[in-house]
Amino acid sequence: MSEDTVHKFKDVHLLRDFIAKNEFVAISFSSWEGIQYMYMNSTFTKLSKKHPNIKFIQIVEGEEENIFYEYNVTRIPTFRFLYDGDVVSEYTNANPKLVTKKVQAFNELTNIKIHKCKDEQSLNELFTNNDFLVVNFGSKKSKQSIPISSTFAELSRNHSKVKFIYIDKDEMPETFDKSGVWKIPTFMFLCDLDDIRMYDDISSDDLIKKVEEFSEQAEAVSEQVEAVSEQAEADQAK
C-alpha cells in the first residue's frame, strides 16, 4: 500500500479490511495504458489531496484482476463512491471535469447522518428516542439501490428533525420479514404507530418530495413542543 494520499491494493482481503475501517471511500478502477488514463489518474491523485475526509483507492487493470472480478468491474475507468461499505454512486467515464464534480459532491456527504442498524437493540433505541424516522430497507448487493441511496444520504444532511435509518437485508433479514418488506429498496416513514407509510418502486424525485413533506411535519411538531415548553416556563416564573 502506498504512503501517499492514494492507496493501492493487490490483495482483495486487505482491500475489504481497509474499506470496512473507513466511512468514506472513493475507488478508481483504471489503467496506466493511454494518455487519457494517465491524465485521469493524475487528476484522481490531486483530488485525494484536496479531500482528506475521503480515502482514495486506485486499482490498476492487469495488476489486480482478481479485485476487478470480485467487484464486478467490466468497464475502464469505473469510479465507485462508498459510505460505510455501501456504494452510494458509480461513474464510468474518463472525463476529469466530471469526475472532479462527482468527488466534490461525494465530499459534501461527509457529514451525512444515517444510522446504520445491525441489530434490533440499536433499532429499538432509535425508535424509542425519536418521533420522526425514515427507514431505508436496502441491500449492498442490489445495484437498484445505488442511485436512490445517494439521494437518501443527501436528504439526511438537510433535515435535522428527521432520523434516517438504513437496514441491510443481509444483516437483518428477519426485520425485513417482520416488517412486510419484499422489495428493495423500500422506504418506511414513521411518526407514530398509527401513521406508518411504506413506499417501494419510488423514484429519487418522489423520495425527496415525501421527505420534505415529512420534515415539514416534524418541524411543526417541534415548534409546538417548544411553544408549550416556553409557556410552561413562563407560568412557573409568575
Side-chain angles (χ1 to χ4, degrees):
M1 185 174 66
S2 64
E3 295 180 357
D4 58 15
T5 51
V6 177
H7 303 269
K8 298 179 177 65
F9 294 89
K10 294 185 179 182
D11 185 293
V12 68
H13 301 292
L14 293 177
L15 174 60
R16 285 177 182 168
D17 290 343
F18 184 82
I19 291 174
K21 293 176 182 177
N22 293 280
E23 277 191 315
F24 297 92
V25 177
I27 308 178
S28 167
F29 296 91
S30 188
S31 170
W32 283 110
E33 297 183 3
I35 295 295
Q36 71 273 30
Y37 295 120
M38 294 175 65
Y39 185 62
M40 187 66 259
N41 294 337
S42 175
T43 299
F44 195 69
T45 299
K46 291 177 182 177
L47 289 167
S48 72
K49 295 176 180 179
K50 291 182 179 180
H51 302 288
N53 291 331
I54 302 171
K55 296 297 182 182
F56 288 75
I57 298 173
Q58 184 180 50
I59 309 298
V60 180
E61 184 183 30
E63 297 180 5
E64 300 90 12
E65 293 298 332
N66 61 322
I67 295 179
F68 275 71
Y69 176 80
E70 184 74 18
Y71 284 83
N72 194 28
V73 176
T74 57
R75 294 184 63 182
I76 300 295
T78 289
F79 299 91
R80 285 185 184 167
F81 302 93
L82 296 85
Y83 166 64
D84 200 19
D86 297 331
V87 178
V88 296
S89 64
E90 182 172 317
Y91 182 66
T92 55
N93 196 296
N95 187 318
K97 290 184 178 180
L98 293 179
V99 171
T100 298
K101 289 182 178 180
K102 292 287 184 180
V103 171
Q104 290 171 342
F106 185 57
N107 186 65
E108 293 178 359
L109 298 181
T110 54
N111 63 340
I112 64 178
K113 299 176 180 179
I114 297 177
H115 301 269
K116 296 203 170 188
C117 294
K118 297 184 179 182
D119 55 64
E120 290 195 356
Q121 180 179 350
S122 59
L123 185 60
N124 287 333
E125 288 176 357
L126 286 168
F127 284 167
T128 301
N129 299 322
N130 298 281
D131 294 324
F132 290 83
L133 307 101
V134 180
V135 184
N136 176 5
F137 293 87
S139 171
K140 296 177 182 178
K141 298 179 181 179
S142 172
K143 285 195 172 182
Q144 294 177 340
S145 298
I146 293 176
I148 206 161
S149 292
S150 179
T151 301
F152 189 71
E154 179 67 23
L155 288 166
S156 75
R157 295 173 58 242
N158 300 326
H159 299 282
S160 60
K161 298 299 183 182
V162 177
K163 292 296 180 183
F164 291 79
I165 301 171
Y166 175 80
I167 301 175
D168 193 275
K169 183 173 178 60
D170 295 317
E171 295 174 347
M172 298 181 66
E174 292 183 359
T175 301
F176 276 65
D177 295 338
K178 292 177 182 178
S179 303
V181 176
W182 314 115
K183 292 185 178 180
I184 295 175
T186 289
F187 295 89
M188 180 183 289
F189 290 68
L190 305 96
C191 59
D192 58 53
L193 291 177
D194 295 324
D195 189 2
I196 299 176
R197 287 163 273 172
M198 294 178 64
Y199 305 96
D200 55 37
D201 293 329
I202 189 173
S203 68
S204 291
D205 289 341
D206 285 340
L207 179 62
I208 291 171
K209 182 178 179 181
K210 292 186 182 300
V211 168
E212 287 177 345
E213 293 173 350
F214 196 57
S215 181
E216 289 176 0
Q217 184 181 352
E219 289 281 357
V221 170
S222 177
E223 290 175 1
Q224 291 174 3
V225 171
E226 289 179 6
V228 170
S229 177
E230 290 176 359
Q231 184 61 49
E233 290 178 1
D235 293 341
Q236 288 179 354
K238 290 181 180 179

